[in-house]
Amino acid sequence: MSTVITEQATDTVTEGAIRIEDVVKIYDPDGAAVMAVDHCSIDIPAGEICMIVGPSGCGKTTLLNAIAGFHDITSGSIHLDGELLCGPGQPEAVPGSDRIVVFQNGALFPWKTNLDNIAFGPMMAGKLSKQEIYDKARSMMADAGLSGTENNYPGEVSSGLRRRVEIVRALMNDPKVLLFDEPYRALDSLTKSVMHEALLEIYYRNKVTIFFITHDLEEAIFLGHRLIIMSSRPCKPKKIVEVDIPHPRDYSVLTSQRFREIMNEAKDVVHEEAQKAFDAGEKEG
Amino acid sequence: MNIKNFRSKLFSRAALRGLIAIAIFLVIWEVGARSEQLFGYRFPFLGLVPPPSDVFVSWGGLIGNPSYWQSWYMSFLRVFGGFTAAMIIGIPLGLFMAVNKTFYGMYFPTFEIMRPIPPLAWVPASIIFWPTQELSIAFVTFLGAFYTIVINVLGGARSINKQYLQAAQSMGASQWDIFRRIVLPATLPSIVVGSAVGMGITWEVVVAAEMISGGGSSGGGEGGGLGFFIWSSYVGGSYEQIVVGMISIGIAGYFSSELLRQLGGLLTPWLKTR
Ligand SMILES: Nc1ncnc2c1ncn2[C@@H]1O[C@H](COP(=O)(O)OP(=O)(O)O)[C@@H](O)[C@H]1O
Ligand SMILES: [Mg+2]
């Protein structure tokens, strides 16, 4: 299944391989069982940008939260670099700084300045001195084009900058995996395109595994090594699309022939599943 | 801040409008109060009120009177005593109810039954319970702020964005870190709001309690407070002084709220930028 592209990603990265095996998640609030994830298996090699595409409500966040350790799974297992995160005998993963989530609506602490937000993880870990942490935080901010916003509160900067601060905060923990839950959903398309290039730039500098949820197909193809297109609820991989456009990429690939071909290949499946989700929603309503 | 800022604030359009409105209000009041002399016909309501000029004259006479200031002092003492106690007990209680489900389940129903009882309904019971009048007034004042503070802190702490907690947990924060660095600052805005509302109620309650209980330990006079000041002015037939007392409470309440607003602003600097 993995081709040249994914191997290319694994070249330099040795940590952060995720193996999702037969995961099932059933929500059971007061007996009304809702199956959100259905026997889902995905293998993500270390250093891959893996894009999860699927209609809203299909169960993408549910899967991400299981990896992060925010709730349990009903059956199946998830491993990180061969180590069991959750599975038989251990239904809920322990959240850890090796897997950091960048949330859909952002979760920067509004009462902390950008710099204090970014320093938060290492301060909690307590491995470095405060001086070292803040030096590192400042230099990471400078690298991400955030100089000058250190002492601003998140509420004082644009939503695009906030997203960048949040990614830098995540990276400060030296994670093996970054989990993105539709982080650019609320951004306008111009800001989005800037954010995409910025994210890739950050990725090229600090290779980590990226598990990225979106329902924007263009975003998925532009960023990803691979697209996992999910079925409507309960979610499981419906189609896997390899994006064999070489990294590093910039925005010119959007107009390339190959990009359009991949778009066409993926579009029909995505549309079909969206239609199913819509119909199911109509029936319920 | 600096003089330029102060001047632009003082002479801003809004401030000017406010001043003009007050001036017009005073003129109408004055004319209304003197309507019998001026027109031979007493306006309804306003005709019974002492004119503002008389009120100011009466106020001028009181400015040098220590017992007038003693009333201010006593009311402030009771308000801040009751209010501080409500904060010291109410904030931890609200936070604890928010983080501990068992305690919440045990205590919240009792709390909700007690909460609708108006603080003033506690006056007789409070006089029976507490050894001194002073303590019973303080207790009733305390109740005025207590429920509001607890309910705000509880609401604030329970509505924290779950993702803040998850993010902190992922980054290795301990339970104590999460409480101190996430729950507490996230609840601060609600604490500030609860305190400001609580402070307003405290003034309402203290004045009424002073009137009902006849002014506290020294049985009125020196220890009376502004509520008793108004009551004794009424009994003594000095209507100007009633109005002086009322305006004094307005000013005292305004300064208390302003003080809280300033403190609240210092505690929650990130909200200023919205
Ligand atoms: N805590 C929960 N309890 C019950 N049902 C839930 C819960 N969270 C999500 N669901 C349901 O599970 C399904 C998948 O949700 P989610 O994973 O958030 O979808 P997505 O992220 O793909 O939009 C939805 O039908 C949603 O209503
Ligand atoms: Mg989601």
Side-chain angles (χ1 to χ4, degrees), chain A residues 8 200-201 203-204 207 222 225 245-253:
Chain A
Q8 188 190 340
L200 284 181
E201 219 174 274
Y203 169 77
Y204 298 141
K207 289 257 172 91
F222 178 65
H225 291 106
I245 299 169
H247 278 279
R249 297 175 191 163
D250 63 40
Y251 239 65
S252 65
V253 309

Side-chain angles (χ1 to χ4, degrees), chain A residues 27 29 34 36 55-62 182 233:
Chain A
Y27 287 109
V34 175
S56 58
C58 81
K60 306 179 296 294
T61 300
T62 302
E182 304 194 51
R233 190 172 69 79

